[in-house]
Amino acid sequence: MQQLTQSELYSALRMSPDGLLMIDLPLPTTPLAFTRLCDKLGTLLGKSHTELEWGADRAQARYSLHDMDLLLQAEWLCEAMWLTPSGYAHGYPSAHDALSALLSRVASG
């Protein structure tokens, strides 16, 4: 996988109508490539992933940021990757607000 920059990541993120932060990047083709993507995303978020979970056609990584816990999810059957909060600080009234704050942070670098 090529070097993932802050601007490339920001360009690849979009909020879906159902409140997920979609990642419009090609799906990694191997478990190693997914792990490398998780590592690069962790670098850009300022926190390493705390765990990886694997299924037959999906994988996920957990990130514990100072104001929210995030799940990076990849599903090969639906050919999609997205971020969703699994928990967030009381300052955010909704998951959408938490993800919007994350998107702003990524944009400002």
Side-chain angles (χ1 to χ4, degrees), residues 35-92:
T35 301
R36 286 182 178 157
L37 172 69
C38 293
D39 292 343
K40 290 176 190 226
L41 182 60
T43 299
L44 294 175
L45 293 173
K47 281 282 192 173
S48 297
H49 56 86
T50 57
E51 59 187 80
L52 292 172
E53 293 182 25
W54 301 93
D57 61 351
R58 64 158 195 88
Q60 70 179 32
R62 181 176 306 275
Y63 298 87
S64 295
L65 307 180
H66 73 280
D67 58 344
M68 71 184 81
D69 288 339
L70 287 173
L71 288 176
L72 166 63
Q73 300 189 60
E75 290 199 12
W76 282 266
L77 285 179
C78 63
E79 298 181 1
M81 284 189 295
W82 65 92
L83 288 165
T84 185
S86 60
Y88 47 90
H90 298 293
Y92 301 117

